Amino acid sequence: MSDNITPFNRLCQIMATLRSPGGCNWDRKQTHKSLLPYLVEETYEVVEAIEKEDPRLLREELGDLLIQIVFHSRIAEEAGKFDIDDCINDINRKLINRHPHVFGDKKDLNPQEVRDQWEKIKIESGEKESVINGIPKSAPALIKAFRFGEKAGGVGFDWAQASEIMDKVKEETREIEAEIKSGDKEKLETEIGDLLFVVASLARKLDINPEQALNKTLAKFAKRFNYIEDKVRQSGKPFSAYDMTQLEAWWQEAKE
């Protein structure tokens, strides 16, 4: 390989070599579908690196994610469908078209106005038949709830302020209490789903990512519960030997 190429082009050349007849048998065997678990895994590892605020780790994980993008593009190129340059050209056009306030008539828009404009452009251009199209069905439900609300809000279908959503949270909570008393499991499931969606909307309105917020809470729970497990282990007795009063006392110790 020539040294007079960009790092990105070198990566593309390496991938082409790995996929060639004289390359790596594992890489040659892969398909778009077989690579899906790795694509998802690498994406989540990027998320974790960001949450850890670790620049060195983020640099590494972004590189790993880039491999997946180049890998998929190479497979498509071999099939005569598209190549990595097509992907880049498409996103270049998209970025320019969706930022008319920068590349067209200059306008000083705040972040929310930019987001709203983005959603309107996608609908008006015919790119999307529905505002909420484009959200992967396989995405975690909490992320979808956040994005549904964000997209609908982009065209004006939204609560005006967080206090209105809080009223809705209280309303949904009362409805859950009613269904608990009724014993109707199906209706209870519906009401709990409604509450989770409203809470995701509340988080969005307060500029909080609910997925990240829940992950932080889960990490906190795990740390405190591990403390309880250590206490039980040190006692030499099973969990069943302790009632909730003692377990709660250790929980409070863990919080401190």
Side-chain angles (χ1 to χ4, degrees), residues 118-132 155:
W118 185 292
E119 297 301 339
K120 290 176 182 176
I121 289 173
K122 286 192 285 187
I123 292 297
E124 293 170 359
S125 67
E127 179 185 342
K128 302 288 185 183
E129 293 182 0
S130 169
V131 171
I132 59 176
V155 293

Side-chain angles (χ1 to χ4, degrees), residues 8-9 11-13 15 66-78 81-92:
F8 179 75
N9 286 336
L11 174 60
C12 291
Q13 286 184 2
M15 182 55 65
L66 181 57
I67 290 173
Q68 293 299 311
I69 295 170
V70 171
F71 209 150
H72 282 280
S73 298
R74 180 64 194 178
I75 292 173
E77 182 178 355
E78 291 169 1
K81 296 177 180 178
F82 61 84
D83 60 22
I84 190 66
D85 286 341
D86 293 324
C87 298
I88 295 172
N89 286 330
D90 286 349
I91 195 60
N92 285 344

Side-chain angles (χ1 to χ4, degrees), residues 175-194:
E175 291 177 359
I176 288 175
E177 291 173 345
E179 294 307 335
I180 290 175
K181 293 177 181 177
S182 74
D184 191 321
K185 190 75 174 290
E186 187 173 340
K187 287 184 178 179
L188 180 58
E189 180 184 53
T190 298
E191 295 302 341
I192 289 178
D194 290 347

Side-chain angles (χ1 to χ4, degrees), residues 163-204:
S163 60
E164 296 177 359
I165 309 180
M166 277 303 304
D167 291 338
K168 189 65 176 175
V169 169
K170 294 173 184 176
E171 176 187 326
E172 296 297 346
T173 301
R174 289 193 296 269
E175 291 177 359
I176 288 175
E177 291 173 345
E179 294 307 335
I180 290 175
K181 293 177 181 177
S182 74
D184 191 321
K185 190 75 174 290
E186 187 173 340
K187 287 184 178 179
L188 180 58
E189 180 184 53
T190 298
E191 295 302 341
I192 289 178
D194 290 347
L195 176 61
L196 291 172
F197 180 75
V198 173
V199 170
S201 296
L202 176 62
R204 172 179 55 83

Side-chain angles (χ1 to χ4, degrees), residues 33-44:
K33 288 187 177 180
S34 72
L35 288 173
L36 275 178
Y38 306 102
L39 177 61
V40 173
E41 179 183 336
E42 297 299 351
T43 301
Y44 276 116

Side-chain angles (χ1 to χ4, degrees), residues 112 115-116 119 145-155 204:
Q112 185 57 52
R115 167 61 63 182
D116 293 347
E119 297 301 339
F146 180 86
R147 293 288 284 130
F148 276 16
E150 188 175 53
K151 285 177 173 289
V155 293
R204 172 179 55 83

Side-chain angles (χ1 to χ4, degrees), residues 26 70 140 144 154 160:
W26 185 89
V70 171
K144 286 196 287 186

Side-chain angles (χ1 to χ4, degrees), residues 218-232:
L218 293 174
K220 182 170 59 178
F221 178 90
K223 185 176 181 180
R224 293 174 180 174
F225 191 76
N226 286 340
Y227 179 87
I228 296 175
E229 288 180 310
D230 287 341
K231 287 293 185 180
V232 172

